[in-house]
Amino acid sequence: MSASLTTTFDDKNSETSTLTSPTLVLNCGSSSIKYALISDDNSTRITGLAENLGLDTARIKHTTLNGEKLEISIPGGRHKLALQKILELLEQYHFIAVGHRVVHGGREYSKAVRVDEHALEEVKRLKILAPLHNPANALGIEAVQAIYPDMPQVVVFDTAFHQTMPPVAFRYALPKYLYEEHKIRRYGFHGTSHAYVSERTSQITEAKGPHGWLTAHLGNGCSAAAVYDGKSLDTSMGLTPLEGLMMGTRSGDVDPSLHMHLKRQLGMSLEETDKMLNNDSGLLGISGLSNDLRTIEQAASEGHEDAQLAIEMFCYRAGKYLASLSCALPEFTGIVFTGGIGENSDITRNKILAVMRHFGIKIDADKNASLVRGKEGSFHADDSSIELWVVPTDEECRIAQETRQALNLI
Ligand code: ADP
């Protein structure tokens, strides 16, 4: 396929649109596939989601180039069938490469790489570190290979951006052989998001570099990172995405003896405790209502005490973590909020920053309240000790960019 194809597409309802040399970005989860077809200048995209894979309700929700929404039922369909349908929907745009979001790249990968036999084997082997995610990522790669054997594919690892962490940040205080022989260390996740928002903020700030940012990715999964001069120096997630901040359904940090205690006291198995920490904890566990902050904010405003506590805990723990991560930065330029919560909830941003009250941070309340989803901007007052930013994350854009870089297309 040519490296600079322009496809012209006459949508049946609308004007002619173009997508130049698009890259297909795939994020294959255990029961869903998110996809985005992105033009080479990142200005145009087609997006979609295959969900409920393996169930009777399996379906693809597709948004065309001109914004038309389609829904395609694929009852019982799994990854392979869903990808076949997705590729059928997209083949008219002649995409030139596929970039896969892969959760775990272990110690081996510090940047995106082109898929070959070895890389695919590594993605599969690293399921020891990400049992729910890496196998689904590998299925996606193989499904594309089966349909387009010559299509260049790239794997972009969620862990890669954090490979610049120094040992003082990435080692656990455990016996050395566990690190050397079994790779037990902190890896960090959400790497493409932390990379994207820190780079973007460095482009739009007027502060002179090198910049030291704390990036707070607050969505269903939540993590924070300390990024100096474009390099991750520490982050809140660890060996798995469970460590660190309180999240939608994940607990974040707990006492490492909790598993033992629950086994002794309640007879809970390791698997039961693991499931509870991942699926039944966080905002959901504390509020008893939902993992969705909007529902919790509504209930809190109506006096629901557990919802109020969930918000206070979420913000206290995030503020405490950000304060501690500031120790990793040689210079502290500012904090960047992103993710569904970070981008939308000015109340949460306010409360988190109030926890960091010894830092001399001053908020411009009007600017803070005016930043709604999709909008980037600063909200620090003129006399604030550090800058405050909201920058909507765009992991797909970053994955497309890293894919093109790995293939020497830019
Ligand atoms: P994911 O991590 O699955 O990509 P998102 O980044 O979309 O998730 O974030 C989801 C979270 O963002 C949910 O807790 C949701 O309640 C929250 N959120 C989205 N919009 C708002 C809003 N307007 N106000 C408060 N929270 C919001």
Side-chain angles (χ1 to χ4, degrees):
M1 240 179 250
S2 153
S4 60
L5 270 176
T6 298
T7 303
T8 303
F9 165 62
D10 287 318
D11 184 89
K12 56 180 179 293
N13 296 323
S14 193
E15 77 277 15
T16 299
S17 307
T18 59
L19 259 179
T20 310
S21 301
T23 301
L24 173 60
V25 174
L26 288 178
N27 182 356
C28 296
S30 50
S31 64
S32 70
I33 301 171
K34 275 193 202 162
Y35 59 94
L37 192 67
I38 303 184
S39 62
D40 60 352
D41 61 356
N42 298 317
S43 65
T44 318
R45 67 182 73 182
I46 293 173
T47 58
L49 168 72
E51 60 185 7
N52 303 339
L53 298 180
L55 304 177
D56 287 348
T57 50
R59 61 189 166 183
I60 298 171
K61 290 175 168 174
H62 180 81
T63 305
T64 69
L65 198 50
N66 295 309
E68 190 192 353
K69 297 202 184 303
L70 308 176
E71 199 167 304
I72 301 159
S73 282
I74 45 167
R78 295 177 187 277
H79 290 75
K80 206 166 159 200
L81 179 66
L83 273 164
Q84 262 168 13
K85 296 276 174 208
I86 292 167
L87 295 174
E88 271 170 30
L89 283 166
L90 299 176
E91 73 184 350
Q92 60 183 310
Y93 302 104
H94 304 293
F95 47 93
I96 59 168
V98 180
H100 294 263
R101 178 189 183 190
V102 175
V103 165
H104 224 304
R107 277 194 305 202
E108 289 74 8
Y109 293 104
S110 56
K111 61 182 177 123
V113 292
R114 187 174 180 144
V115 173
D116 56 16
E117 220 172 290
H118 175 71
L120 179 57
E121 279 316 305
E122 286 295 287
V123 170
K124 289 183 184 170
R125 192 179 59 77
L126 287 165
K127 82 170 189 200
I128 46 167
L129 293 170
L132 294 180
H133 295 99
N134 273 37
N137 302 148
L139 277 179
I141 296 168
E142 287 176 325
V144 175
Q145 270 177 346
I147 300 171
Y148 295 114
D150 297 327
M151 176 66 65
Q153 300 196 69
V154 170
V155 277
V156 182
F157 299 98
D158 235 19
T159 47
F161 181 61
H162 300 298
Q163 283 294 302
T164 46
M165 286 196 291
V168 67
F170 76 65
R171 286 286 294 274
Y172 289 112
L174 295 171
K176 196 172 176 183
Y177 78 94
L178 286 174
Y179 168 63
E180 292 194 330
E181 293 166 34
H182 302 285
K183 303 183 179 188
I184 306 297
R185 51 159 284 178
R186 306 183 64 249
Y187 290 96
F189 298 85
H190 288 147
T192 49
S193 178
H194 292 294
Y196 176 84
V197 299
S198 56
E199 187 177 295
R200 178 73 193 137
T201 317
S202 283
Q203 286 164 356
I204 52 183
T205 181
E206 286 177 5
K208 281 225 318 255
H211 303 119
W213 303 115
L214 293 183
T215 48
H217 177 111
L218 308 176
N220 272 318
C222 299
S223 69
V227 182
Y228 183 70
D229 200 14
K231 293 189 175 59
S232 173
L233 297 183
D234 199 356
T235 191
S236 59
M237 285 177 169
L239 176 72
T240 75
L242 185 58
E243 186 178 334
L245 308 182
M246 176 169 157
M247 314 186 204
T249 62
R250 282 176 251 167
S251 62
D253 290 350
V254 293
D255 187 322
S257 295
L258 182 71
H259 290 75
M260 186 57 100
H261 182 79
L262 293 178
K263 185 169 175 348
R264 284 198 195 113
Q265 294 296 308
L266 304 177
M268 281 173 71
S269 66
L270 289 180
E271 287 72 21
E272 284 169 332
T273 300
D274 191 54
K275 186 175 165 298
M276 177 272 289
L277 292 173
N278 277 290
N279 301 338
D280 309 327
S281 300
L283 288 170
L284 172 66
I286 299 296
S287 70
L289 292 174
S290 169
N291 62 323
D292 191 311
L293 186 70
R294 284 165 293 198
T295 309
I296 299 170
E297 282 185 342
Q298 178 63 34
S301 72
E302 290 160 5
H304 192 293
E305 287 184 8
D306 288 337
Q308 289 165 351
L309 177 63
I311 293 171
E312 294 304 323
M313 278 179 68
F314 182 89
C315 296
Y316 176 67
R317 286 175 161 239
K320 194 166 91 164
Y321 236 109
L322 287 169
S324 70
L325 280 173
S326 72
C327 301
L329 294 174
E331 281 171 78
F332 190 4
T333 313
I335 304 177
V336 189
F337 290 89
T338 196
I341 296 173
E343 291 166 35
N344 288 298
S345 178
D346 56 316
I347 301 170
T348 305
R349 293 194 295 264
N350 252 327
K351 280 184 183 290
I352 290 173
L353 295 167
V355 173
M356 303 175 77
R357 60 189 177 281
H358 305 301
F359 281 71
I361 298 169
K362 303 270 170 60
I363 298 174
D364 181 323
D366 291 339
K367 282 189 187 165
N368 187 25
S370 72
L371 289 165
V372 289
R373 185 148 220 179
K375 209 168 153 192
E376 70 183 17
S378 64
F379 63 100
H380 49 274
D382 291 343
D383 57 345
S384 178
S385 58
I386 55 159
E387 298 192 349
L388 303 171
W389 289 88
V390 171
V391 173
T393 194
D394 193 344
E395 290 167 281
E396 286 85 8
C397 166
R398 177 84 190 188
I399 292 169
Q401 190 188 338
E402 289 193 25
T403 299
R404 292 192 295 266
Q405 268 163 358
L407 297 171
N408 295 320
L409 296 174
I410 44 176

